[in-house]
Each structure stands twice: as structure tokens, then as C-alpha cells.
Amino acid sequence: MSLSSSPAGADSSDDIAADITTAIAEQRLPPGTKLREEALARLYSVSRTKIRAALVMLAKDKLIDLVPDKGAFVSRPTEEEARQIFFVRRVLEAALVREFVAKATAADYETLERHLQQEREALSKENPQIRSRLLSDFHILLARAVGNQVLTDVLTKLAGRSSLITMLYQSTRDAACSSDEHVEFLQAAKAGDTEKAVELMLHHLHHVEKALQFEIPPPGAKKDFVKALLA
């Protein structure tokens, strides 16, 4: 049993971290799963030192939590955390949209339209990790267009955590809806309809939050995979 189709190629800490990231993104390692060093070392045929280095990388990206005296666990953002994050994002991004509509240039719209194409391509390939990052990056591009570095920094942090939450808890169908909502928002913004653009953005963020599925996956193939991995 392996995390990827070719585990033999994952022999560096970077490769192992990337492989585990993919397994988390594809929900083959559900939130809360304990990652035992010795089991991973056997799986990848490497030393526990390399495994520890990979786990540190994953912890820096907030994909796992390293708990003293307990071990490493796949990150498990709570529903309450998601509620708080999206509340703050709605407050910030309502103001952001107004600034964006007032300041955005033709070049900014071209950049965002190219980005939307990347979103669609990621959705067609069903890669949860990439699609979540791109859907999140759309909002960061809006902030960059406005030119407020403080706002960009704050939103980048919030969007980064949001991206992890959606990667873990958003369905492919809802991700596609998010991209469609980005298109609708951009059309309203480009038309100069500020109030409609604000309304669409708030609706979009509310929709993303409400569609998150925090239930633990039922027993089945994914659970069997974890059992085999960590035995």
C-alpha cells in the first residue's frame, strides 16, 4: 500500500512531503489522521530523520499539526474556525471590492481572466490541492490590484487558511460553483456595477462557507487505506 502510484520515487524529504500533500488533498488521508513516523519510514524505505524533516515541512504549510508527546496529525480545521475566517473575509472583501472596481485597470482584468482559465483547467483535472489554491489566489489578485499591501498581507493569510479548509472539506461540484461565481463577479466589476459586485462577492463567500462538509468520511476505501498505511 502506498500514498502515490510510484512511492519508490519519493525518497527525499521534499518528495515525501509532496506525496503526503497529494494524499491529503485527494482526501486519502482524512483530517485528524495520525501519521506515525515508523510506518511512514517503512512505507518510503527511508530513515525516520527524513520523515521528520518531511513532517516539519508539512507543519509549516499548516497541512499537519505536530503535537508534543503525541505525534503528527493531518490538520483538522474546525467548523467554528471556518465560520470566523469567512466572517472576517466578508467584512474585508466587501471593502476590497469597492476599491477594486474603482481602481482596476484593463491589465488587471486581463490578469484575472487568465487566472479564471487556470481555475477551469484545474477543475477539469480534479486536483483538489491546485484548484483550492487557485480559487483562493483569485481573491489575492484582487487585493494586489488595489495596491494596499497591508490588506494583501492580511488577506493572503486568511485565504491561505481558507484554501486548506476548502481543500479538505469542499466537493468538486462546489469548487466548480466557486469558479462560476468568480466569473459572475468579474463581469459585474468590469461593468462598473459596484453594488452588484459587492453583493456577488458576499454571496460567493457565504456559499463557500455553507457548502463545506465537515462530517468525517464514513468507513470504506479511505478508512481501509489509512488502516493499511499506519498498521
Side-chain angles (χ1 to χ4, degrees):
M1 184 64 68
S2 64
L3 285 176
S4 69
S5 58
S6 57
D11 55 5
S12 72
S13 295
D14 286 334
D15 290 337
I16 293 167
D19 200 42
I20 295 174
T21 295
T22 298
I24 294 173
E26 293 176 351
Q27 299 180 345
R28 290 183 285 127
L29 287 175
T33 301
K34 184 174 182 177
L35 302 178
R36 290 169 50 203
E37 288 182 9
E38 61 271 26
L40 292 169
R42 289 197 304 269
L43 178 67
Y44 290 103
S45 300
V46 298
S47 68
R48 291 178 66 174
T49 299
K50 283 190 176 181
I51 295 300
R52 290 191 193 103
L55 294 177
V56 169
M57 294 177 194
L58 294 166
K60 287 181 178 179
D61 289 337
K62 307 298 184 182
L63 289 171
I64 70 169
D65 297 318
L66 295 177
V67 182
D69 300 322
K70 292 187 178 180
F73 300 82
V74 176
S75 183
R76 191 173 187 174
T78 65
E79 189 168 357
E80 176 63 17
E81 179 185 359
R83 187 190 69 78
Q84 293 179 9
I85 286 173
F86 279 96
F87 172 82
V88 175
R89 286 191 60 179
R90 284 192 293 271
V91 172
L92 288 177
E93 294 193 49
L96 167 60
V97 168
R98 295 182 188 281
E99 286 290 295
F100 175 79
V101 175
K103 296 181 177 180
T105 66
D108 292 326
Y109 284 109
E110 289 175 4
T111 296
L112 286 159
E113 285 165 357
R114 287 195 299 271
H115 183 84
L116 289 174
Q117 181 58 38
Q118 292 179 319
E119 288 183 5
R120 304 311 296 183
E121 291 173 359
L123 285 163
S124 70
K125 296 176 182 176
E126 296 188 1
N127 186 317
Q129 181 187 6
I130 294 177
R131 83 184 183 207
S132 293
R133 177 177 58 78
L134 288 171
L135 290 169
S136 177
D137 284 352
F138 179 84
H139 298 260
I140 297 172
L141 288 173
L142 296 179
R144 288 177 180 168
V146 166
N148 185 320
Q149 189 58 51
V150 174
L151 176 59
T152 301
D153 291 344
V154 172
L155 187 57
T156 297
K157 182 176 181 180
L158 288 171
R161 192 61 177 170
S162 301
S163 178
L164 172 63
I165 290 170
T166 57
M167 184 182 77
L168 293 170
Y169 300 119
Q170 186 181 56
S171 70
T172 299
R173 179 179 62 81
D174 289 316
C177 288
S178 287
S179 188
D180 290 340
E181 289 165 0
H182 286 173
V183 173
E184 293 175 8
F185 159 78
L186 201 61
Q187 290 172 343
K190 197 170 185 179
D193 192 336
T194 302
E195 295 310 313
K196 183 177 181 180
V198 171
E199 179 184 351
L200 287 170
M201 179 59 74
L202 293 177
H203 169 78
H204 164 59
L205 293 171
H206 182 77
H207 183 201
V208 172
E209 178 188 353
K210 291 301 181 183
L212 295 173
Q213 301 170 5
F214 288 91
E215 296 81 7
I216 298 175
K222 291 178 182 177
K223 187 175 181 63
D224 291 342
F225 171 84
V226 176
K227 182 178 179 180
L229 169 64
L230 301 180

